[in-house]
């Protein structure tokens, strides 16, 4: 695992659409430009959703992966 | 070879591959989103709240025009009878207003349907319409009540939940569409 400096964490495990995205958007509001937010989610739909979300918000996906049914996304505030 | 194509004089036949290259990946362009909420049934209001909160979360300026039956979901939950004259009062009696009192359009079965939906939603961690409404407001979704509907139902601004915008009319909605808001009618 890389040593990224995470500014905020979002635990959306167990939550279904649209909460992973909504909670992440809220967390993004509280971090500055260039800072990272880590999201944990179990909703399989969130993979595609975060793709669409980064595309329209302009934030970037730094890392994404899945381990034991938990998706992990690291997103950088634009 | 997928990199930025330098201006080559002989442009190969590429029907729609090169409309104004502009600056590479400038600001992602998002349209404003305009949801027109006409229906007051549980399933429609639920879908509306999911789309509205998501739209705001995706950085789009999001407005919801609330009209006809839709407005019933934006009356304070604790209001039981609303309206000024007997017909308006009767209507609110027959169809209880408030977001927590929505009925399903099908399989309502005197409240059994919504109750089971609520149970299932809890079990599968799906947020309720009310929770989603609060999130949507937090994320900056603008809810605009329809003035004409308010008059017809005899609703005052005090009957409506906190944080509703100014009452507006159809011209505002059409105007927003003409300005390029992506509209959706629910």
């Amino acid at each position: 695992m890389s040593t990224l400096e995470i500014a905020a964490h979002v635990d959306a495990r167990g939550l279904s659409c649209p909460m992973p995205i909504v909670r992440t958007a809220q967390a993004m509001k509280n971090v500055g430009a260039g800072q990272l937010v880590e999201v944990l989610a179990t909703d399989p739909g969130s993979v595609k959703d975060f793709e669409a979300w980064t595309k329209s918000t302009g934030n970037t996906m730094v890392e994404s992966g899945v381990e034991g049914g938990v998706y992990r996304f690291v997103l950088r505030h634009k | 070879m997928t990199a930025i194509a330098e201006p080559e004089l002989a442009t190969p036949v590429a029907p729609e591959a090169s409309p104004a290259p502009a600056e590479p990946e400038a600001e992602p362009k998002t349209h404003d989103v305009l949801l027109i909420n006409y229906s007051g049934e549980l399933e429609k209001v639920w879908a509306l709240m999911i789309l509205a909160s998501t739209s705001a979360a995706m950085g789009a300026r999001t407005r919801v025009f609330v009209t006809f039956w839709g407005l019933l979901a934006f009356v304070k939950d604790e209001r039981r009878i609303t309206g000024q004259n007997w017909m308006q009062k009767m209507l609110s009696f027959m169809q209880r207003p408030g977001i927590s009192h929505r009925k399903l359009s099908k399989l309502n079965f005197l409240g059994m349907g919504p109750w089971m939906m609520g149970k299932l939603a809890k079990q599968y961690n799906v947020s309720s319409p009310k929770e989603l409404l609060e999130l949507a407001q937090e994320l900056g979704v603008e809810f605009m009540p329809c003035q004409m509907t308010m008059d017809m139902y005899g609703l005052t601004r005090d009957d409506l939940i906190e944080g509703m915008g100014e009452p507006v009319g159809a011209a505002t909605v059409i105007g927003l569409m003409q300005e390029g808001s992506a509209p959706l009618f629910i």
Side-chain angles (χ1 to χ4, degrees):
Chain A
M1 193 132 299
S2 58
T3 50
L4 293 169
E5 187 119 344
I6 306 285
H9 298 267
V10 176
D11 187 357
R13 284 175 293 179
L15 301 182
S16 54
C17 169
M19 296 316 285
I21 291 285
V22 169
R23 291 266 180 252
T24 304
Q26 286 179 316
M28 273 285 169
K29 278 191 179 171
N30 300 323
V31 305
Q35 288 194 302
L36 299 175
V37 172
E38 181 194 56
V39 183
L40 298 179
T42 47
D43 172 22
S46 63
V47 178
K48 277 277 173 203
D49 278 359
F50 273 104
E51 236 175 72
W53 181 81
T54 49
K55 207 170 151 194
S56 64
T57 56
N59 301 312
T60 45
M61 178 81 71
V62 180
E63 273 183 28
S64 70
V66 57
E67 209 184 304
V70 178
Y71 300 91
R72 176 174 172 273
F73 309 101
V74 179
L75 303 145
R76 188 187 300 280
H77 194 300
K78 67 170 174 186
Chain B
M1 67 179 282
T2 46
I4 314 113
E6 284 300 308
E8 283 175 21
L9 292 179
T11 316
V13 199
E16 49 192 300
S18 55
E23 295 88 63
E25 304 260 337
E27 277 290 286
K29 201 177 172 314
T30 47
H31 288 285
D32 289 358
V33 169
L34 173 64
L35 302 162
I36 301 167
N37 173 213
Y38 179 88
S39 319
E41 290 109 347
L42 175 60
E43 72 272 20
K44 310 268 172 61
V45 173
W46 213 329
L48 169 85
M49 294 308 170
I50 291 173
L51 292 170
S53 53
T54 305
S55 169
M58 291 183 77
R61 179 166 185 187
T62 307
R63 300 178 183 88
V64 182
F65 177 64
V66 190
T67 188
F68 282 89
W69 315 115
L71 198 57
L72 295 181
F74 291 83
V75 172
K76 289 174 182 147
D77 262 341
E78 62 274 15
R79 286 277 196 283
R80 186 59 192 92
I81 302 296
T82 55
Q84 321 300 322
N85 63 43
W86 71 270
M87 268 190 293
Q88 293 167 337
K89 288 181 177 150
M90 195 73 184
L91 276 172
S92 67
F93 175 73
M94 294 190 294
Q95 197 174 35
R96 183 168 183 177
I99 195 160
S100 303
H101 310 296
R102 300 296 83 216
K103 293 174 177 172
L104 289 169
S105 65
K106 285 182 189 141
L107 307 175
N108 191 63
F109 288 112
L110 299 169
M112 265 286 272
W115 179 79
M116 285 193 286
M117 284 290 284
K119 275 287 232 208
L120 285 170
K122 270 220 175 73
Q123 193 178 332
Y124 289 91
N125 268 314
V126 177
S127 304
S128 72
K130 188 172 185 157
E131 289 164 340
L132 289 163
L133 167 62
E134 281 158 14
L135 281 168
Q137 286 190 312
E138 232 173 84
L139 288 163
V141 175
E142 301 157 58
F143 292 95
M144 313 181 294
C146 166
Q147 180 67 65
M148 176 274 284
T149 307
M150 287 175 68
D151 294 344
M152 200 172 68
Y153 281 122
L155 295 171
T156 62
R157 291 195 70 174
D158 186 52
D159 288 324
L160 304 180
I161 59 164
E162 298 297 317
M164 291 292 277
E166 286 291 316
V168 297
T172 305
V173 177
I174 301 297
L176 288 168
M177 282 189 215
Q178 287 176 321
E179 285 165 22
S181 279
L184 179 66
F185 188 92
I186 304 179

